[in-house]
Amino acid sequence: MKQFLSSSDVLYVNSLLKKAKRIQQDSYGNNMIGKNKTMVLLFFNPSLRTRLSTQKAAQNLGMHVITMNVSQAWGIEFEDGAVMNLDKAEHVKEAAAVISQYADLIGLRTFAGLQDREADYEEKILNQFAKYATVPIVNLESATVHPLQSFADVFTIETYKKKKRPKVVLTWAPHPRALPQAVANSFVEWMKKTDYELVITQPKGYELSTQFTTGCSITYDQQEAFHDADFIYAKNWSSYSDYGKILPTDVNWMITAEKMALTNDACFMHCLPVRRNVVVEDMVLDSPNSIVIQQAANREVIAQTVLSEILKNL
Ligand code: SN0
């Protein structure tokens, strides 16, 4: 693997899932592969799991890690040919090239701005960094996808599934803020790499981009979707069609114990952070069927799997 920008950088999911299993059982088994290598983690947005799990994974492989919150550096300009007489002090051409002098690998978190759909869906910031950096880039959630999360989600489902082809439901859930579509897009993309049965359910107006959902089974009836489900994956996202907006929607889309009772004793999943009693009620999150903590634990395993694949080629 040369870089990890999206799911298309992973050709053989099954062999990497086997590797992840080995890493889970022996996380320090390959702790020299990153010796004298440095990973720089750049955060344009907040993070808890991604930051700690990626740092831990890199350290397990023997790497040094430098983390920077970009808001504390110079404002970065991403437009080619910009006349930089406003607030941005440094162009990505220099920033990415300079960071590459100190780093053997760069991790980048940059959420969707949710203002300009075209710029977000072109992955402008991620791609500009990848273009001007001279070392591999690892996507720590970009405008449209969160591949480390989704890969960890596949690994989690593999671990907990009780039948070969479980029914996995991605359900929209309410939220007070406008959130990106990245986690949901990415989840759909990675589910397509498996042979699970995927059903997506969301209220009208919250359809994801067909770039991700073409060929998927989609219903506006949440209860129908929950019937016989083996995994419920809850996530809020803002509208794609009315880009970045929160539409007037029924709060009844919250995940409740009553709805979970329609399922086949399903596991409850969420990428976290989760707003209790808005997205999902306490009773579900605190039940033994909730695997959100194990899901987060798997972030370290999957980050380590991806980093070790990239290190092999450095
Ligand atoms: C992010 C998102 O993409 O939805 C990160 C998820 C891994 N989530 C949030 O920004 C939640 C923030 C909030 O206010 O609840």
Side-chain angles (χ1 to χ4, degrees):
M1 202 188 291
K2 295 237 172 338
Q3 59 181 4
F4 188 69
L5 298 183
S6 77
S7 70
S8 54
D9 291 307
V10 172
L11 297 177
Y12 306 104
V13 186
N14 285 337
S15 70
L16 281 195
L17 287 170
K18 285 196 189 98
K19 179 175 175 147
K21 196 85 216 158
R22 290 195 297 275
I23 286 175
Q24 188 181 39
Q25 283 153 2
D26 180 17
S27 46
Y28 298 107
N30 203 6
N31 62 2
M32 294 300 281
I33 190 175
K35 190 173 188 295
N36 295 338
K37 299 265 191 285
T38 297
M39 180 161 196
V40 169
L41 303 178
L42 293 179
F43 288 90
F44 283 86
N45 311 95
S47 170
L48 186 148
R49 277 147 294 280
T50 300
R51 179 168 174 160
L52 296 179
S53 64
T54 309
Q55 175 154 0
K56 180 69 164 34
Q59 287 170 351
N60 292 351
L61 295 166
M63 273 194 272
H64 299 288
V65 179
I66 304 173
T67 303
M68 187 161 83
N69 299 328
V70 182
S71 62
Q72 287 160 3
W74 305 107
I76 299 176
E77 175 63 60
F78 288 92
E79 284 306 324
D80 282 333
V83 177
M84 291 170 56
N85 59 357
L86 295 171
D87 56 329
K88 303 289 193 303
E90 176 152 27
H91 200 277
V92 64
K93 286 188 185 184
E94 283 76 44
V98 168
I99 295 163
S100 303
Q101 306 302 306
Y102 315 134
D104 299 285
L105 262 176
I106 300 173
L108 188 66
R109 161 157 290 194
T110 164
F111 287 172
L114 296 180
Q115 305 292 327
D116 178 345
R117 183 165 91 176
E118 210 173 300
D120 284 347
Y121 274 71
E122 269 172 18
E123 289 288 7
K124 196 164 180 184
I125 295 183
L126 182 74
N127 287 333
Q128 286 282 75
F129 251 97
K131 183 171 170 190
Y132 296 115
T134 54
V135 299
I137 302 278
V138 176
N139 185 337
L140 306 178
E141 184 172 345
S142 62
T144 67
V145 287
H146 192 358
L148 281 177
Q149 178 67 51
S150 313
F151 192 2
D153 295 336
V154 174
F155 183 65
T156 306
I157 295 174
E158 273 305 291
T159 307
Y160 283 88
K161 72 178 190 185
K162 294 190 206 113
K163 55 164 90 105
K164 194 171 176 306
R165 192 167 180 269
K167 178 177 175 183
V168 179
V169 175
L170 169 66
T171 176
W172 184 93
H175 198 284
R177 290 181 55 218
L179 299 186
Q181 295 105 31
V183 170
N185 286 340
S186 199
F187 186 73
V188 171
E189 192 169 60
W190 283 77
M191 285 299 106
K192 285 181 168 176
K193 285 178 169 281
T194 71
D195 63 357
Y196 311 150
E197 178 190 353
L198 174 69
V199 176
I200 305 170
T201 183
Q202 85 270 306
K204 288 221 162 67
Y206 283 105
E207 298 82 1
L208 294 165
S209 163
T210 52
Q211 180 187 327
F212 293 93
T213 59
T214 296
C216 291
S217 159
I218 305 172
T219 169
Y220 296 111
D221 184 341
Q222 194 188 34
Q223 306 230 349
E224 175 200 301
F226 273 44
H227 188 69
D228 267 345
D230 299 297
F231 291 87
I232 298 295
Y233 196 103
K235 183 72 185 85
N236 169 267
W237 59 86
S238 58
S239 176
Y240 175 77
S241 50
D242 193 356
Y243 192 63
K245 298 286 184 307
I246 300 183
L247 312 174
T249 307
D250 208 336
V251 289
N252 290 330
W253 276 75
M254 179 170 75
I255 316 305
T256 61
E258 204 178 319
K259 286 179 199 170
M260 290 300 286
L262 301 170
T263 69
N264 180 27
D265 197 24
C267 290
F268 175 81
M269 298 177 72
H270 190 282
C271 63
L272 306 181
V274 70
R275 305 266 189 144
R276 280 177 174 260
N277 304 309
V278 176
V279 171
V280 50
E281 69 178 3
D282 282 340
M283 224 202 287
V284 175
L285 212 45
D286 294 331
S287 78
N289 287 45
S290 169
I291 55 170
V292 298
I293 306 301
Q294 295 90 327
Q295 204 183 334
N298 287 338
R299 293 291 309 277
E300 176 186 341
V301 177
I302 289 303
Q304 193 169 336
T305 305
V306 167
L307 295 183
S308 74
E309 282 297 298
I310 297 176
L311 282 170
K312 272 200 325 206
N313 289 313
L314 275 189

